[in-house]
Amino acid sequence: MTAFAEAEKLLNKFKGGTYTFGPGVLDKIGKVASSVGKRALLFRGTFPGSDGHVKEIEKSLERLGVELVGVLKGARPNSPRGDVDRIREAIKKNVPGLIISFGGGSTIDAVKASIVLASLGGCLDDYIGMEKVSKALKRQGKKLIPHIASQTLAGSGAHLTRYSNITDMKISQKKLIIDDAIVPAFPFFDYSMTYGAPSNIIADGALDGLFHLIEVLYSTEGRPGFDLAYDIAAIGMDLIIKYLPVAMADPDDHRAREGLCLGTDLGGYAIMTGGTNGGHLASFSLVDILSHGRACAIMNPYYAVFFAPAIERSLKLVCSVFSKYGYVENSFKRLSGRDLGIYAAKAMISFAESIGFPTTLGEIEGFTKNHIDRVLKAARDPELSSKLQNMPVPMTVDMIDHFMRKVLESAASGKLDIIENAPDTVT
C-alpha cells in the first residue's frame, strides 16, 4: 500500500466518513450543507484566486436549495481577538442555521471561537483553557451552531481538531480554547486549493503539521495511545519530509502538494490523539516575529535534546525518516539518550537548512531577550498548562526558569551543549 493510500485509510478511520477531502471536492459542499440547514452564513478567506472558489461554493449551495444569507470576510493571520468579536456580531445579526468557514487555520479558528460566543454568550476569556465550552453547553442546555469548516491550506488541521488559537495582539500572545465541542462536524478540504499557494506559505504549513506529528509522538511515549500516534507519525512524517522540498522546488507538482495535504491532515489526527508541547508553547509567544510553522521548526530540535532520555523510541522513528531522505547518516541506531537527541536535532536542522529556513531564534529580525522572558511567562499561565502537561519530561512551574530557559537560550544561539537534561531523566 502506498503512503497516499495508507494516509487516506487513516483519515477515513479518524473521521468515520464525515470528512470530504481530496482534489476537486469543493462542489460537494452544497450536498453536505443541505443535510444540515437551509440558511447558511459564509466567512471566507481572501487569498489570490479565492473569488472563483467562493462562486463555486455559492453555486453548489444554490443547486441544493441552501440560502446564503451573507458572505463575509474571515480572519487575519493568527486569529486576532478583534476579528472574533466582529464575526460573533455577524452571526448574532444574521441568525444562520449553519455556518461555513472557508479559509486557512486563522479563519477557521476565529469562526470556532465566534460560534461559541454567539451560541453561549459571555466573553472569550470565559472559554480559554480546557473543556470550558462543554461545561457551559451542559449548564445552559444548548448546542453550538453547526459548522462546515472548509480548509484551504495544508498545515494547521484546524478543520479537524478541538483547538481554537486566538491572539491578543496587544501583548503578542496566543491563547487556546481546547474542547471536543468545537470540532467542526463537517470538515472539508479540496486539496487543489493549495496548488497556487506561494512556496513559503506551503512550507510554513507543512512544518506546523510535521511538528504536530512529532510533538504528539513525544507526548504519548510510555502512555496509552503511543502505538496509534506512532503509526500516524510514521506515514505523516514520510509524506511531509519527502514532498516539502519537491513542492518548494516545483510549485506545479500537484502530487507533492497533495502529499503535504495528506501529511498535515495526519498531523490534525495526531493532535486529537495526544497533545503538542514545548515547541508549540514557545511559538505562541513569538507571533510578532515568526510565523507559527517557522517558530515550531526552530524550537523543536532543541526540545528534542531536552526530552531525549524519555523519548528514545520516538527519536528512533524521527531519525529513521530523516535518514531515509538523506538528512542524516544511518549511524543513529546505536545511540541513546542525549546523544540520540542531538542526532535528531541535527537532522531537523539539516532539513530546515535544505529549504532555506532559519534554525535559530538569533537569526530572526526583531528577536530579543524579551521574547525569552515572554515565553517563560506564558509557560506559567494556567490557561496554557496543557502544554506543560504534555511534555514527555514533566516540567513543573519551578523548573521553568532554569531548564526551559536553557532550551530557549540554546535555540537563540544554536549551541546544543547549553541544554541541561532534568536529573531524573539522565541514566
Side-chain angles (χ1 to χ4, degrees):
M1 188 181 293
T2 67
F4 272 57
E6 290 186 63
E8 290 168 2
K9 182 178 178 180
L10 283 167
L11 290 170
N12 284 320
K13 175 184 175 182
F14 170 35
K15 299 308 292 185
T18 63
Y19 182 26
T20 306
F21 64 98
V25 301
L26 191 61
D27 66 352
K28 297 180 181 179
I29 201 165
K31 181 177 180 180
V32 173
S34 66
S35 70
V36 182
K38 294 300 182 184
R39 283 173 47 85
L41 178 61
L42 172 63
F43 294 96
R44 55 161 294 185
T46 54
F47 56 93
S50 58
D51 288 349
H53 300 313
V54 170
K55 283 187 180 6
E56 186 175 359
I57 293 173
E58 291 173 344
K59 289 178 181 177
S60 181
L61 294 174
E62 184 179 0
R63 280 198 309 270
L64 274 296
V66 179
E67 178 190 2
L68 191 56
V69 298
V71 180
L72 303 172
K73 185 178 178 181
R76 292 167 290 170
N78 295 309
S79 309
R81 290 180 72 130
D83 287 2
V84 172
D85 291 337
R86 172 178 54 79
I87 294 170
R88 174 200 60 199
E89 289 305 310
I91 294 171
K92 290 172 67 176
K93 178 181 178 182
N94 287 279
V95 197
L98 166 68
I99 293 171
I100 302 171
S101 58
F102 174 74
S106 295
T107 285
I108 293 172
D109 277 355
V111 169
K112 285 180 182 177
S114 301
I115 289 172
V116 170
L117 294 173
S119 301
L120 294 173
C123 67
L124 188 63
D125 291 328
D126 295 334
Y127 306 103
I128 297 292
M130 297 186 67
E131 302 301 328
K132 293 183 179 179
V133 178
S134 290
K135 290 176 182 176
L137 287 168
K138 184 176 181 180
R139 187 170 59 249
Q140 296 186 32
K142 292 182 177 179
K143 294 183 178 180
L144 297 180
I145 303 166
H147 180 195
I148 295 178
S150 186
Q151 181 63 265
T152 59
L153 287 171
S156 70
H159 55 307
L160 300 172
T161 67
R162 59 175 165 248
Y163 298 89
S164 173
N165 295 266
I166 305 300
T167 303
D168 186 333
M169 304 303 287
K170 293 179 181 178
I171 59 173
S172 298
Q173 180 65 52
K174 278 190 180 182
K175 294 199 174 181
L176 281 172
I177 299 174
I178 308 172
D179 203 303
D180 285 344
I182 69 170
V183 178
F186 307 98
F188 252 79
F189 192 2
D190 185 333
Y191 290 175
S192 65
M193 297 290 107
T194 70
Y195 293 168
S199 293
N200 65 319
I201 293 176
I202 288 293
D204 282 337
L207 290 170
D208 185 17
L210 177 64
F211 291 109
H212 286 156
L213 294 160
I214 290 175
E215 290 182 35
V216 170
L217 185 67
Y218 295 169
S219 73
T220 56
E221 182 155 342
R223 303 178 186 180
F226 179 69
D227 289 344
L228 176 58
Y230 190 98
D231 291 343
I232 296 168
I235 301 301
M237 285 194 297
D238 191 280
L239 286 165
I240 294 169
I241 293 168
K242 177 179 180 178
Y243 284 115
L244 178 55
V246 177
M248 294 187 73
D250 183 3
D252 294 324
D253 190 322
H254 292 172
R255 184 168 178 82
R257 295 285 175 112
E258 291 161 21
L260 294 179
C261 291
L262 287 167
T264 56
D265 274 357
L266 288 178
Y269 188 4
I271 57 178
M272 290 297 285
T273 67
T276 55
N277 41 72
H280 272 67
L281 174 61
S283 77
F284 293 165
S285 301
L286 302 171
V287 293
D288 58 327
I289 58 169
L290 277 168
S291 67
H292 178 62
R294 289 178 194 236
C296 291
I298 287 175
M299 291 305 309
N300 262 279
Y302 306 96
Y303 269 108
V305 177
F306 177 67
F307 294 150
I311 55 167
E312 291 187 1
R313 286 183 64 193
S314 297
L315 290 178
K316 293 279 188 181
L317 176 60
V318 170
C319 289
S320 71
V321 180
F322 278 110
S323 69
K324 177 180 177 181
Y325 294 104
Y327 294 101
V328 281
E329 297 176 358
N330 211 26
S331 58
F332 67 88
K333 292 182 179 179
R334 294 185 179 181
L335 298 178
S336 62
R338 183 182 175 93
D339 290 339
L340 181 60
I342 290 172
Y343 203 81
K346 290 179 178 179
M348 295 179 201
I349 289 169
S350 175
F351 181 64
E353 288 174 341
S354 76
I355 59 171
F357 264 43
T359 59
T360 68
L361 293 174
E363 299 171 56
I364 306 305
E365 183 178 356
F367 172 74
T368 69
K369 179 181 174 294
N370 290 335
H371 287 95
I372 292 179
D373 294 336
R374 188 190 296 167
V375 174
L376 298 175
K377 180 180 178 182
R380 299 187 193 95
D381 187 341
E383 293 173 346
L384 295 173
S385 62
S386 65
K387 301 304 175 192
L388 288 184
Q389 294 164 9
N390 287 331
M391 288 189 179
V393 174
M395 186 176 288
T396 64
V397 173
D398 294 338
M399 298 170 66
I400 289 171
D401 273 331
H402 182 72
F403 290 101
M404 188 178 289
R405 185 180 293 277
K406 292 288 186 182
V407 174
L408 291 162
E409 289 174 349
S410 177
S413 66
K415 297 176 180 178
L416 296 173
D417 59 354
I418 292 174
I419 299 165
E420 292 183 19
N421 296 100
D424 59 354
T425 67
V426 179
T427 57

